[in-house]
């Protein structure tokens, strides 16, 4: 079949398998030519491994100098009668293939990270493939939902301001249209739900489970990703429900740091740059900022994607130096280029002059849209999008992947 892009609002309804593979190959190529990771971890668990920062971290650690073996956990949709499946599904498939071609172990576990069952499968995989221990645990889950397995109910995250309504614009990627909106403040239930889904509780549960199963290697580190951003995004992010959840994540990093000190290891929250990912396009009010940020950072030659951010994190922060560099709140800052005062002054100016009529001209909307399309395997150079894709062949790869699971 010929696979075409299908977008509704900010959600991609289709993905191009060969384009996903090409996007992975591009990232592999980048890290192979970048400054290599030194003294890196050899056995890595990535929770949220199939896209965005988690996938980039997996590629950086496997191909960017550390030659790590990886176990990746994610929640993705394979091909079925209903459609071709999600980009993350193909990312897992092709990452595994290319990692294995270079002699690396790459295990994909498809399941709900919040469940005990998935945690148990991972422990089994660590026993089988990693001689029982991990050197690094990356927590990179971005979700809107978390099942409460005790009650059968769902916790839902809400992306809302706290205390007062916030006016801002979002952009429909489906119609390339600027949409003004006002977001009402979150209820207490929505604040609590966001904390449950995007706060530090599940990260801590993972590390506790791995400590209890004696799966933590001497010197083991763990890292989760956070965002702080500029004052332009604070009303919707830092001061809102997601910011509350990130503060919880930061506090969890301190608690986990104490626990991992028993293994001469450490726990960190790494504050990353704002980027287009499957998750971030959902944040109302963030897109105008991203369009302006992309424009300014590309003009200044400081723009980075997930892969550049992750390679820099592992070469200059988490590994390769005697002590992990952190700020006054013990956070790793890899958002330094985004928050550069000169950059922010330019972004401010741009955001203030953008509106429904000129955002495509003034900001880098084309760049943002291209990245979004590429996340789903579309718009990549070298792929013939008019050529039929052999889904049967992909399904057989899928079965082969399933066979390798526990
Ligand atoms: P993403 O949507 O690209 O990746 C999310 C990953 O989580 C995917 O692998 C997905 O399969 C997995 N996942 C979702 N629900 C799951 C579940 N129930 N069980 C197992 N896996 C599940 O998201 P992105 O943007 O890479 O986000 C990762 C982290 O980085 C988040 O904590 C986010 O807040 C943070 N971050 C993102 C920034 C951005 O601009 N995109 C900036 C700074 C931090």
């Amino acid at each position: 079949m010929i696979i075409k892009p299908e977008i509704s609002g900010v959600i991609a309804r289709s993905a191009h398998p060969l384009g996903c593979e090409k996007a992975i190959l591009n990232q592999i190529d980048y890290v192979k030519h970048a400054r290599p990771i030194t003294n890196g971890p050899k056995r890595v668990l990535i929770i949220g491994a199939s896209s965005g920062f988690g996938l980039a971290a997996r590629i950086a650690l496997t191909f960017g100098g550390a030659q790590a073996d990886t176990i990746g956990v994610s929640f993705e949709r394979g091909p079925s009668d209903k459609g071709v499946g999600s980009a993350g599904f193909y990312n897992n498939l092709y990452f595994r293939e290319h990692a294995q071609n270079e002699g690396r172990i790459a295990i994909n576990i498809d399941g709900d990270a919040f469940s005990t069952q998935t945690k148990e499968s991972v422990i089994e995989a660590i026993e089988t493939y990693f001689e029982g221990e991990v050197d690094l645990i990356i927590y990179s889950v971005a979700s809107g939902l978390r099942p409460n397995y005790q009650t059968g109910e769902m916790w839902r995250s809400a992306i809302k301001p706290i205390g007062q309504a916030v006016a801002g614009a979002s952009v429909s990627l489906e119609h390339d249209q600027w949409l003004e909106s006002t977001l009402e403040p979150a209820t207490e239930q929505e604040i609590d739900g966001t904390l449950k889904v995007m706060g530090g509780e599940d990260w801590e549960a993972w590390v506790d489970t791995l400590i209890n199963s004696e799966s933590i290697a001497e010197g083991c580190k763990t890292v989760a990703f956070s965002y702080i951003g500029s004052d332009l995004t604070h009303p919707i992010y830092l001061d809102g429900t997601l910011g509350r959840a990130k503060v919880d994540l930061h506090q969890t990093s301190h608690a986990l740091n104490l626990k991992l000190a028993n293994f001469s290891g450490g726990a960190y929250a790494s504050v990353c740059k704002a980027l287009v990912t499957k998750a971030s396009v959902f944040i109302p009010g963030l897109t105008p900022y991203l369009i302006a940020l992309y424009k300014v950072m590309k003009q200044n030659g400081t723009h980075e994607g997930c892969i550049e951010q992750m390679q820099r994190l592992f070469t200059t922060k988490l590994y390769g130096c005697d002590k992990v560099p952190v700020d006054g709140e013990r956070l790793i800052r890899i958002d330094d280029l985004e928050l550069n005062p000169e950059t922010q002054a330019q972004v401010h100016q741009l955001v203030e002059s953008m509106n429904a009529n000129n955002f495509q001209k003034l900001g880098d909307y084309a760049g943002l849209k291209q990245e979004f399309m590429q996340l789903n395997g579309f718009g990549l150079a070298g792929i013939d999008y008019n050529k039929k894709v052999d889904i049967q062949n992909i399904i057989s790869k899928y079965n082969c992947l399933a066979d390798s699971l526990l």
Side-chain angles (χ1 to χ4, degrees):
M1 69 189 283
I2 293 174
I3 304 173
K4 297 280 175 206
E6 287 168 37
I7 307 173
S8 38
V10 293
I11 303 172
R13 300 278 178 208
S14 65
H16 200 285
L18 303 180
C20 290
E21 180 180 25
K22 184 71 171 56
I24 296 226
L25 288 171
N26 289 348
Q27 293 186 64
I28 292 174
D29 186 59
Y30 170 78
V31 299
K32 282 192 168 177
H33 295 94
R35 175 177 158 187
I37 301 165
T38 52
N39 300 321
K42 291 290 177 205
R43 299 161 298 180
V44 181
L45 166 63
I46 300 138
I47 307 147
S50 59
S51 61
F53 285 111
L55 174 64
R58 195 176 194 190
I59 293 172
L61 289 162
T62 303
F63 298 97
Q67 295 183 305
D69 293 329
T70 57
I71 295 172
V73 178
S74 60
F75 214 19
E76 297 293 345
R77 226 178 32 252
S80 70
D81 300 348
K82 294 196 186 102
V84 290
S86 59
F89 171 84
Y90 297 103
N91 291 339
N92 285 338
L93 196 71
Y94 288 115
F95 169 83
R96 173 176 172 265
E97 185 174 312
H98 290 287
Q100 285 184 344
N101 285 348
E102 297 215 1
R104 302 269 61 84
I105 296 171
I107 305 298
N108 294 322
I109 295 189
D110 188 22
D112 182 13
F114 298 112
S115 77
T116 307
Q117 198 189 341
T118 302
K119 292 181 176 80
E120 282 168 1
S121 300
V122 166
I123 289 166
E124 241 178 283
I126 292 170
E127 283 296 325
T128 311
Y129 300 101
F130 284 1
E131 292 169 350
E133 289 184 339
V134 282
D135 303 309
L136 173 66
I137 305 150
I138 297 173
Y139 191 85
S140 187
V141 171
S143 177
L145 292 172
R146 171 179 173 183
N148 179 342
Y149 285 100
Q150 249 99 56
T151 64
E153 288 166 14
M154 279 284 178
W155 286 301
R156 286 170 202 282
S157 73
I159 308 168
K160 287 195 171 180
I162 294 178
Q164 55 191 16
V166 169
S170 50
V171 177
S172 158
L173 295 165
E174 180 183 359
H175 302 296
D176 303 323
Q177 201 180 10
W178 178 277
L179 306 164
E180 294 288 349
S181 61
T182 299
L183 281 171
E184 294 305 320
T187 61
E188 282 305 317
Q189 195 186 1
E190 286 171 327
I191 297 172
D192 293 348
T194 312
L195 213 76
K196 281 282 180 193
V197 181
M198 289 299 287
E201 193 176 72
D202 188 53
W203 181 24
E204 186 158 15
W206 270 97
V207 175
D208 284 345
T209 306
L210 293 165
I211 290 174
N212 291 337
S213 61
E214 301 183 350
S215 311
I216 301 283
E218 191 63 13
C220 175
K221 290 177 184 164
T222 185
V223 66
F225 302 124
S226 184
Y227 184 64
I228 290 179
S230 92
D231 55 353
L232 284 165
T233 59
H234 285 177
I236 182 61
Y237 199 102
L238 189 64
D239 301 336
T241 48
L242 274 177
R244 199 60 82 81
K246 290 304 183 191
V247 169
D248 184 66
L249 193 83
H250 301 170
Q251 284 162 354
T252 303
S253 77
H254 306 321
L256 292 180
N257 197 45
L258 291 175
K259 293 182 187 181
L260 291 188
N262 295 327
F263 302 86
S264 313
Y268 303 91
S270 172
V271 186
C272 298
K273 170 184 187 273
L275 278 167
V276 180
T277 64
K278 200 173 74 183
S280 68
V281 289
F282 268 98
I283 305 174
L286 190 71
T287 312
Y289 173 76
L290 276 172
I291 296 170
L293 184 73
Y294 273 38
K295 176 86 174 196
V296 170
M297 292 187 82
K298 283 182 187 176
Q299 257 167 11
N300 297 347
T302 55
H303 180 72
E304 292 176 309
C306 287
I307 194 68
E308 289 87 356
Q309 282 263 292
M310 290 298 105
Q311 186 74 7
R312 190 154 71 89
L313 173 69
F314 298 124
T315 46
T316 66
K317 309 279 185 190
L318 264 190
Y319 299 99
C321 35
D322 294 340
K323 204 164 170 270
V324 176
V326 288
D327 71 4
E329 294 179 39
R330 227 185 56 80
L331 300 170
I332 296 177
R333 303 304 296 259
I334 202 87
D335 60 345
D336 46 350
L337 301 177
E338 171 180 352
L339 296 189
N340 170 281
E342 179 71 16
T343 298
Q344 281 301 317
Q346 291 170 293
V347 172
H348 261 264
Q349 223 176 25
L350 205 52
V351 165
E352 275 153 28
S353 47
M354 271 186 337
N355 58 43
N357 301 320
N358 65 15
F359 75 98
Q360 301 211 32
K361 203 163 133 231
L362 293 189
D364 184 27
Y365 179 68
L368 178 135
K369 178 95 183 248
Q370 185 190 31
E371 259 184 44
F372 176 78
M373 298 306 282
Q374 290 186 346
L375 286 177
N376 299 295
F378 297 104
L380 284 129
I383 302 295
D384 181 355
Y385 290 99
N386 292 319
K387 208 169 150 189
K388 284 186 183 165
V389 178
D390 185 349
I391 293 287
Q392 276 316 318
N393 184 26
I394 290 162
I395 290 172
S396 70
K397 276 195 182 198
Y398 169 62
N399 291 337
C400 167
L401 174 80
D403 285 344
S404 77
L405 298 184
L406 299 167

